[in-house]
Amino acid sequence: MDTTQIYEKEGSLQVEENDIVEVNPARHAAVKILTRFERSDAYIDILMAREMEQGNMLQLDKSLLTELVNGVIRWRWKLDWVLTGFYRGDYLKCLNIVKNALRVGLYQILFLEKIPDHASINESVEMIKRIQGEKIANIVNGVLRNIARNIENIRYPNEEEDVVYYYTVMESHPRWMVKRWIELYGVDAAIKILKANNERPFTTFRINKLKADLGEILAYLRANGIEFSTSPYSEESITIKTRGIDLFALNMFREGKVSIQDTSASLATKLANAKPGDKILDMCAAPGGKSFCLAEQINNNGSIIALDKYPSKLRFIKEGSERLGITCISAKEADSTNLNFEEKFDIVFLDAPCSGLGTLSKKPDIRWKREREDVPVLVNTQRELLENALAQVKVGGVLVYSTCTIEPDENECNIEWFLNKHPEFELDRAENYLHKDVCKDGFMMTFQHIHKCDGAFAARLIKKSESVISPSVVAD
């Protein structure tokens, strides 16, 4: 059920034009979080989690808060285009809290059809009145009501004059990102990627085969009236289609029968093709999703060393292992750019830090945190990790490299560089292990608009021999 429909039925939005308005806690929290986001480096999901923990919100309020915050961030550029056109004066010089109150109000007017315009306007006005006083509140009121009256007359950029700028505004992405994807994939595919990034995401989980099977989980979902779809690429991946479900509160989650994980991540882990008894190193493991998946592949029979450089994150691996009934994972603090294990591993899994440009539907704030200049810096880190990973793989063993981005420099270009420099490794084609529709050029590649999951990449490399010096090695 759509969140806005729930609120309308509950009656919390049934207000008249002249009613005294009590500001909904979700709307107030949304403005507060958005303002904090603009003056800090924190990710939006962390800010929301803190607010929900500190506040005393109903599940309905939490759902609305998530909708408003992610929606405003997702559509910020388009919202600001409209507000700039209707604001008398320099909108960009407004206080952040005023801009965010306007954005929250306008987001509801443009995108949440079930919420009456006067309800969203009144609450934004009341919020600003309490914080900034009557004068500023009157400005907010005038701007939002003027937009609501003239919604059909809003003028947007001209697509024919500048296609990049047009979609920068209309699909609310940074200009460099739109330009880059048009250059890489062409206009039609780039537009589809942009639109997919702006879709409200559904929650996908993976069945824990140590505790449950597909039939049991599907029966549970049907019995509880939860709509779902199964992935055509991985039968363990199921997406919940019913809005407003708190997956963490469901028995199947609390009993450790499922883990939240995008289909693309499950596929990347399947590429490892782990077997019972394998010794596995997960180099950048936290919060542990891929380690858990590998543990299930080996039927909890073998060993997995799960590393992360931040000790505070290791608890997620330990807590997740306990919930899922996994005993073969050992979580350790380590910097994976500087490893020297005496033992060699059957499988080394490197889920590298990346730009995250395949996850913008679930993490809309990333689009505003990334710059084009970030990619070369990340590539250097990724190559440093690959160099360190190769020494940990035994002869005949496997190195799996994965990312959650659709940026070629971080993906296939890195693998080409690695194989040219290290001829002792060879590509083991992904279609030998995965559905052919998620494979291209021997790699696993998923795209938001095609596969209805995160955009991601993975490559499976086999170590044929110990390191050799080859005259074909290219310079860094």
Side-chain angles (χ1 to χ4, degrees), residues 365-378:
D365 52 326
I366 289 179
R367 73 183 73 183
W368 309 120
K369 288 182 173 291
R370 287 286 176 232
E371 301 289 345
R372 183 70 186 94
E373 295 75 19
D374 293 341
V375 173
V377 176
L378 287 162

Side-chain angles (χ1 to χ4, degrees), residues 117-266:
D117 289 348
H118 65 263
S120 56
I121 292 170
N122 287 351
E123 290 205 16
S124 290
V125 171
E126 183 65 23
M127 196 183 318
I128 290 301
K129 184 187 295 183
R130 296 177 186 180
I131 299 170
Q132 295 294 320
E134 189 85 30
K135 182 178 179 181
I136 302 298
N138 287 339
I139 294 173
V140 170
N141 182 57
V143 171
L144 292 178
R145 290 190 186 281
N146 194 15
I147 294 172
R149 287 193 298 266
N150 294 280
I151 201 78
E152 301 299 327
N153 300 319
I154 297 173
R155 296 181 63 183
Y156 292 104
N158 189 315
E159 181 178 3
E160 295 181 0
E161 290 179 1
D162 187 337
V163 67
V164 173
Y165 187 55
Y166 176 79
Y167 284 104
T168 293
V169 172
M170 298 304 291
E171 297 300 333
S172 192
H173 282 66
R175 183 181 177 89
W176 76 263
M177 209 174 283
V178 177
K179 185 174 184 290
R180 174 70 171 165
W181 289 340
I182 288 176
E183 291 171 349
L184 286 172
Y185 304 114
V187 174
D188 290 345
I191 293 169
K192 291 176 182 177
I193 292 171
L194 298 171
K195 290 184 179 297
N197 289 342
N198 285 331
E199 292 179 2
R200 295 181 180 92
F202 293 102
T203 300
T204 298
F205 63 83
R206 188 193 73 254
I207 298 170
N208 175 13
K209 289 191 172 181
L210 299 176
K211 287 191 171 186
D213 58 33
L214 178 63
E216 176 186 353
I217 296 303
L218 295 186
Y220 176 88
L221 294 173
R222 292 186 182 111
N224 286 275
I226 300 173
E227 296 181 11
F228 63 89
S229 64
T230 56
S231 169
Y233 314 115
S234 175
E235 68 171 13
E236 299 92 5
S237 289
I238 300 174
T239 299
I240 292 179
K241 295 293 188 178
T242 302
R243 296 286 186 186
I245 296 292
D246 182 5
L247 182 61
F248 299 104
L250 299 180
N251 286 340
M252 66 178 187
F253 181 86
R254 288 186 290 142
E255 293 170 2
K257 294 180 179 180
V258 300
S259 289
I260 296 176
Q261 187 174 58
D262 188 76
T263 303
S264 63
S266 298

Side-chain angles (χ1 to χ4, degrees), residues 404-476:
C404 55
T405 184
I406 58 174
E407 173 53 54
D409 286 357
E410 300 179 71
N411 295 338
E412 55 266 44
C413 293
N414 270 344
I415 299 302
E416 180 181 4
W417 167 87
F418 182 81
L419 292 176
N420 282 336
K421 191 172 182 182
H422 297 286
E424 69 271 24
F425 281 83
E426 67 179 6
L427 179 69
D428 190 1
R429 299 183 69 85
E431 53 265 38
N432 295 331
Y433 306 91
L434 303 176
H435 194 291
K436 64 181 180 60
D437 289 347
V438 296
C439 301
K440 182 182 179 183
D441 300 329
F443 307 122
M444 184 209 90
M445 289 190 192
T446 57
F447 290 88
Q448 305 94 302
H449 64 298
I450 297 173
H451 303 101
K452 306 305 178 186
C453 62
D454 287 344
F457 173 90
R460 175 183 166 95
L461 308 173
I462 303 295
K463 189 173 185 178
K464 301 179 295 182
S465 63
E466 290 297 348
S467 299
V468 297
I469 299 176
S470 169
S472 65
V473 171
V474 297
D476 286 355

Side-chain angles (χ1 to χ4, degrees), residues 333-378:
E333 177 187 354
D335 183 349
S336 288
T337 61
N338 184 27
L339 297 178
N340 188 22
F341 285 95
E342 291 185 5
E343 62 179 322
K344 304 294 183 183
F345 295 89
D346 299 293
I347 297 170
V348 173
F349 199 98
L350 172 55
D351 185 32
C354 69
S355 60
L357 298 183
T359 66
L360 300 191
S361 174
K362 296 185 178 73
K363 302 175 181 179
D365 52 326
I366 289 179
R367 73 183 73 183
W368 309 120
K369 288 182 173 291
R370 287 286 176 232
E371 301 289 345
R372 183 70 186 94
E373 295 75 19
D374 293 341
V375 173
V377 176
L378 287 162

